[in-house]
Amino acid sequence: YMLKEIMEQPDAVSRTIEPWIKEGRADLSEVLSRDEVKNLSRFYIVACGSSYHVGVVAKYNLEKLARIPVEVVLASEFRYCNPIIDKNTLVVCISQSGETADTLEAVREAKSLGALTLAIVNVEGSSIARESDRVILTKAGPEIAVATTKAYSTQLAVTVLLALYAADCCGTLEKTEYDAVLNELLAVPDKMKQILSDKENIQRIAYQHFDNEDIFFIGRNIDYALSLEGSLKLKEISYIHSEAYAAGELKHGTISLVVKDTLVIAVASYGLLVDKTLSNAKEVQARGGHIMGITTESLRERVAAVTDEILTIPDTHEVLLASLAVLPLQLFAYYIALYRGC
Ligand code: M6R
């Protein structure tokens, strides 16, 4: 089921975004009025596990496009963090199942504090969908594998729609930039197909690494958010010990865990920060670690010069990098688990 669901992602993303694109714009006015969005003082994004990781990517994108502050909080922490909420706060709860107890409790807490709540859920009629003020359904279809893949991708696509819609309402984005992001969002399903058609290459690389006992992921900004998801997926299904770090944090202690041949996956897809991440990759190599780079086609040469092997994704707008780069990470985890007989 996991492989089947990985392969279903292009269609799942198309189905999810299609109802919300009207006359060349991301239009969520059926769910949130333009005035409600204009008056927002802040977003909270609340979720667990992979759905939380979607929130970590969404924070970068929402703040970048709409210039509204975003707090991303683990649902299990939300009730205890004394959130600063008023009627102009939108609490976005993300959940595939719509039944995760901590996320449901977060919806209740947010409502009791007077916030407007928006659920991004995959299961119509689920508890979180019923109890939230507003709902956007992801159209991933039933997700049978416990390791989420297509739900993650559809949730991410909805958060990009939300960022575009909020930017439109608040007038924070030039038309050319708006069009560039929207066009790249529409291109995601085809670019995903391109990555999936190369899955044998990822399988070949996974075969070389399936007997590792520790695998680290590093990245900066959205690449860090992606590292969190890559690491979770890998440990969840392969039982390999794995950690994800913001690349700049390595030198503050963690680097001592890197010894000869430790595999470190450097997610370096974000052009603006690629050299910074590569400088951390060099620190890993200085200790004898083995670096696998994940980057875009146009950054291939720069990243290949520093890494021991490389996987690439098609070029896209930075807001959509996570939507593409998560696929090789899912496939890598899947094949590693398969080779380990998990
Ligand atoms: O159904 P939810 O999205 O609320 O579930 C939250 C997490 O349990 C979930 O995302 C979990 O981390 C994934 N199954 C990991 O692959």
Side-chain angles (χ1 to χ4, degrees), residues 48-51 95-97 100 146-148 155 232-233 236:
C48 301
S50 295
S51 299
S95 174
Q96 186 286 126
S97 60
T100 301
V146 173
T148 184
Q155 291 165 349
L232 175 63
K233 207 93 303 168
E236 183 179 22

Side-chain angles (χ1 to χ4, degrees), residues 72-233:
V72 195
V73 185
L74 291 162
S76 53
E77 294 288 323
F78 185 74
R79 261 183 295 169
Y80 315 110
C81 78
N82 200 5
I84 301 168
I85 281 181
D86 60 21
K87 64 179 177 19
N88 295 325
T89 308
L90 180 65
V91 177
V92 181
C93 294
I94 307 179
S95 174
Q96 186 286 126
S97 60
E99 300 296 347
T100 301
D102 283 321
T103 312
L104 180 59
E105 284 306 323
V107 173
R108 291 175 178 159
E109 174 77 4
K111 284 176 80 173
S112 75
L113 292 170
L116 183 65
T117 52
L118 166 68
I120 300 176
V121 290
N122 196 42
V123 180
E124 200 169 2
S126 56
S127 304
I128 292 172
R130 279 188 279 109
E131 294 201 26
S132 299
D133 298 307
R134 315 286 165 83
V135 181
I136 298 179
L137 283 177
T138 48
K139 301 270 178 70
E143 194 171 57
I144 308 298
V146 173
T148 184
T149 53
K150 60 178 181 170
Y152 174 97
S153 289
T154 53
Q155 291 165 349
L156 202 52
V158 170
T159 64
V160 175
L161 287 170
L162 183 60
L164 277 171
Y165 180 61
D168 196 10
C169 296
C170 301
T172 47
L173 210 55
E174 295 289 336
K175 185 179 180 322
T176 46
E177 185 68 356
Y178 180 96
D179 289 345
V181 178
L182 184 62
N183 288 337
E184 283 302 323
L185 174 62
L186 295 171
V188 161
D190 280 344
K191 293 187 178 183
M192 281 180 153
K193 284 182 192 159
Q194 214 176 309
I195 297 167
L196 295 173
S197 70
D198 193 31
K199 67 182 192 315
E200 284 71 24
N201 184 36
I202 301 168
Q203 179 170 9
R204 186 183 54 74
I205 291 183
Y207 186 70
Q208 289 159 25
H209 297 293
F210 74 88
D211 56 356
N212 276 272
E213 291 310 323
D214 303 283
I215 299 184
F216 295 92
F217 290 74
I218 57 169
R220 287 171 184 254
N221 196 274
I222 36 179
D223 288 330
Y224 166 58
L226 263 167
S227 297
L228 294 171
E229 177 59 8
S231 173
L232 175 63
K233 207 93 303 168

